[in-house]
Amino acid sequence: MLQRLSISNFALVQNAEIEFKNGLNIITGESGSGKSLMVDALQLLLGNRWRSNDKNEKKCKVEGCFVLTESLSEFLNSVQVDDWGHQIILRRELWEGRSRNFINDSPVSLTVLKQAASRLMDLHHQEDTTELLEADFQQSWLDGFLKHPELKTQYQQEYANYKKQEAQLNSLNSQLEKRNKEADYIQFQLNEMDALNLKPGAYESWLSEAQDLEQADRYSAQWHHCADLLLNGEHNVIAQIRTLEKQFQDLRGSETETLKTRLNQIRTELQDIASDAERMVSRYQSNPQRLTQLQENIYTFQKLMKKHGVTDEAAYFKVWQSYQEFNQTSAHLTNERNQIEAQLTQQYKNLQLKGKALSAARQECIQHVEPQIALELQKLGMPHAQIKFQLKGSQAPKPSGCDDLTICFSANKGFAVQPIQTIASGGERARLMLALKAQRAAHMLPSVLVFDEIDTGVSGGIADRLGRLMQELSKRVQVISISHLPQIASKATHHIKIYKKESAHSTETFVKSLTDQERLEEIAAMLSNGEITQKALENAAQLMQANS
């Protein structure tokens, strides 16, 4: 319940404090007096945007004091806002395009303010009857009657998980599609590189071995000549040293012995060198086939390095490694895609099961609400109205469920029901919307229903019935309605008048709670187009007495 609404520096309202009461609160006033500003102020508390036309850019404040409900107390705890016991105060401060939002004097985000306000109020404009034509509104309205609302919550959670997995699968497929465009090219490059069978360090080894084979004949001849000079030739060096050693045999003396030893060491060393020379002769044997193979490998490798834009073996292996990693990543993504596809198949089955359970619960609701809505429409002067809620399975799961809801309607006897988008007139939609609101009030979370001139275009007996329906509604929830009809104003438990005063330099809107006598005069003025006559006062008294 809304207990108090305080407004300052809001359009034509400088300062106003409006007390509301339980039951039916009616706001009246002449056209242009500022009645809609009260609704605009409540819309600010609901989180709507506001653009000031005040050149002075004074800070605007709107504050609403509500009775705290148990569910809202739990919400306050969840967002870490102080619980003040029996009341909750929402406040917005706006200036120079900026705003601050408070709940119980604690700063909160606009999102949190909206969440709190939506649990307290449901505001309805006459033009909001267009919502009636929207599938989301129809579905949401029906779901308000679910005996087990957790069925919808469970479905939505399953749907969110399914769509998350589906998005992940689509992302993987997109990645794999891009990779597949490159896969053949990369595999060709990799096959070409693997065919060379290059091992780390092999290139330098190939170059060295090829160089040796290219000079094999010359090196072999040179080493053979060295071996001949040292050991095998007619006048080889070692034979000469042996001859020299014989000359030293007959010589005596310590110095001579030293020379003999040195000469022996030289001969031994030269013999080792001669053996190595002979070995080198065999090493540098000509092998044209091996040389050709090496030259092909070197040419192929140098060609591949140029192709891949590298200049050394290390960089070449980095390119090769990147191709390997590309294939490994593609294989990993493919495996992950296959796993998600399997999971998605199972999730889809679970989603359909939960969707069927939700659809069955909705069908049960329909059996309950159809006759109730028809009864409400009869109260609003539509005795032959028919309404049908048609629920059909949808082609694919949706955020709201696995079915499509169509509300069909007929206002006249003998006419088949058709979708309200095609058959209901503006006035019929207004009464149908009010009937829906009346039924929903008994089940709704918000404790305040606000109607902004929902009675526009209504008169006579229908106006009286509309007022009586509002009276019934106000027994279950607090109703605040802006009205221009005396039939409805006469049924108020609390009557508020909006009026404005003009001075030489400004215009200001004021708010006043009416006494019984002031109510009588206000209703009389509404009956006689602003002129309070004795007859109008008598008629107003009759209206008020009939609804007392």
Side-chain angles (χ1 to χ4, degrees), residues 414-475:
F415 286 83
V417 295
Q418 295 182 37
I420 54 177
Q421 294 91 329
T422 62
I423 194 172
S425 66
E428 290 167 348
R429 288 176 192 170
R431 282 182 275 176
L432 181 54
M433 177 64 91
L434 188 57
L436 295 177
K437 293 279 184 179
Q439 271 302 299
R440 188 71 186 91
H443 302 270
M444 66 187 298
L445 178 63
S447 57
V448 184
L449 270 178
V450 183
F451 295 109
D452 181 15
E453 296 189 341
I454 194 174
D455 53 15
T456 300
V458 175
S459 61
I462 299 302
D464 184 69
R465 294 187 181 197
L466 185 61
R468 291 189 185 282
L469 185 56
M470 286 186 180
Q471 273 187 318
E472 290 183 23
L473 272 174
S474 68
K475 294 175 183 177

Side-chain angles (χ1 to χ4, degrees), residues 7 91 160 238 256 282 315 532 537:
I7 306 170
R91 184 170 82 251
I238 293 175
T256 303
S282 61
I532 302 177
L537 287 170

Side-chain angles (χ1 to χ4, degrees), residues 52-66:
S52 173
N53 292 322
D54 186 356
K55 295 181 180 179
N56 295 323
E57 289 294 343
K58 297 177 182 178
K59 181 181 284 188
C60 164
K61 291 184 181 180
V62 177
E63 181 177 282
C65 179
F66 297 82

Side-chain angles (χ1 to χ4, degrees), residues 69 138 166 169 181 233 257 269 346 489 508 527 543 546:
T69 62
Q138 296 177 12
E166 187 180 55
L169 178 63
K181 293 177 181 178
E257 291 303 320
E269 182 66 24
Q346 184 58 47
E508 186 174 350
L527 284 167
L543 278 176

Side-chain angles (χ1 to χ4, degrees), residues 2 8 25 29 44 60 110 141 150 216 255 319 330 332 340 346 354 361 384 398 412 438 468 472 480 488 494 498:
L2 176 61
S8 63
N25 296 263
L44 282 182
C60 164
L110 185 59
W141 181 88
E150 68 274 10
E255 292 182 358
V319 174
S330 294
H332 172 74
I340 290 178
Q346 184 58 47
K354 293 185 184 300
H384 303 297
K398 302 183 300 181
N412 301 305
R468 291 189 185 282
E472 290 183 23
I480 300 172
I488 292 178
H494 183 51
I498 308 295

